[in-house]
Amino acid sequence: MSDKISPDEDRSPNATFFNDDDPNIANSRVWFYILKSQRKFFLKFSQALKDQGLGDPVWYEILYEIDQAGPDGKLMGELEPRLLLPQYGLSRHIARMEKAGLLRREYISDGRRKQVLFLTDEGARRLKIVWPLYLDTLKSEMGPLLDTDEAYDLARFLLRLLP
């Protein structure tokens, strides 16, 4: 019997599955699989929401955050860290959503320029219409690939990557 360890015994089961000799490749794999997964699901999901008048999937997230704030509205500056969007991108979405009649903004003058966002009646209506579509699209696209426990596991793992 040889005392020598085979290369496969020296690697984790995951490294063996992926045939990776360098364990640092794991982080690269995570990044590329997140990007590919996003591209795989984004087009179908985006089209389903556009069919309901939402120009971009992030519009749903913006409407949801404003709705959760209640009648006092949501400060636009509070959306940036919650949605992980840069200010210029968020401003562009807000302007388009306002033009589409989904939200309105009020400006507060307190030495700095602040904007409070409110849902319009149309924005609230769209939010209610889109939620079942949002959920059905996710279920039809991901449901066959992940059972409920796997979906929760993946969500829990991905949360570790967020602030």
Side-chain angles (χ1 to χ4, degrees):
M1 211 186 246
S2 169
D3 290 339
K4 205 172 188 183
I5 298 174
S6 75
D8 281 350
E9 291 177 37
D10 209 16
R11 296 189 299 176
S12 75
N14 288 324
T16 301
F17 174 84
F18 286 106
N19 198 27
D20 291 336
D21 292 328
D22 179 356
N24 295 311
I25 296 295
N27 291 322
S28 175
R29 287 192 182 280
V30 168
W31 175 246
F32 286 116
Y33 290 147
I34 287 172
L35 290 176
K36 287 178 181 179
S37 296
Q38 190 269 347
R39 286 191 300 266
K40 175 184 177 186
F41 297 115
F42 185 80
L43 289 176
K44 190 166 231 174
F45 187 67
S46 180
Q47 188 58 54
L49 294 181
K50 281 183 183 181
D51 291 345
Q52 294 300 317
L54 296 186
D56 187 294
V58 78
W59 287 19
Y60 176 82
E61 294 178 73
I62 293 169
L63 291 174
Y64 178 80
E65 289 292 333
I66 296 169
D67 183 61
Q68 293 301 297
D72 294 332
K74 183 81 167 178
L75 283 171
M76 187 165 149
E78 292 176 350
L79 288 177
E80 291 172 40
R82 290 203 45 88
L83 301 177
L84 300 173
L85 290 172
Q87 186 275 329
Y88 66 88
L90 180 59
S91 291
R92 209 172 352 196
H93 286 297
I94 296 299
R96 290 176 183 152
M97 293 173 74
E98 185 176 36
K99 187 176 179 179
L102 301 174
L103 58 82
R104 67 179 175 81
R105 42 182 156 182
E106 291 181 9
Y107 294 91
I108 298 174
S109 178
D110 67 348
R112 297 182 307 185
R113 194 169 136 167
K114 289 185 180 180
Q115 299 174 36
V116 182
L117 305 173
F118 300 90
L119 290 184
T120 61
D121 290 341
E122 179 62 13
R125 186 182 76 74
R126 291 275 176 88
L127 186 63
K128 287 179 184 157
I129 290 170
V130 168
W131 170 244
L133 175 68
Y134 190 95
L135 187 58
D136 288 346
T137 302
L138 291 173
K139 282 178 13 185
S140 70
E141 292 299 311
M142 294 183 186
L145 305 172
L146 299 170
D147 66 29
T148 302
D149 286 336
E150 291 169 328
Y152 276 125
D153 287 343
L154 181 56
R156 190 179 74 245
F157 291 135
L158 290 172
L159 272 173
R160 291 171 38 190
L161 302 177
L162 299 175

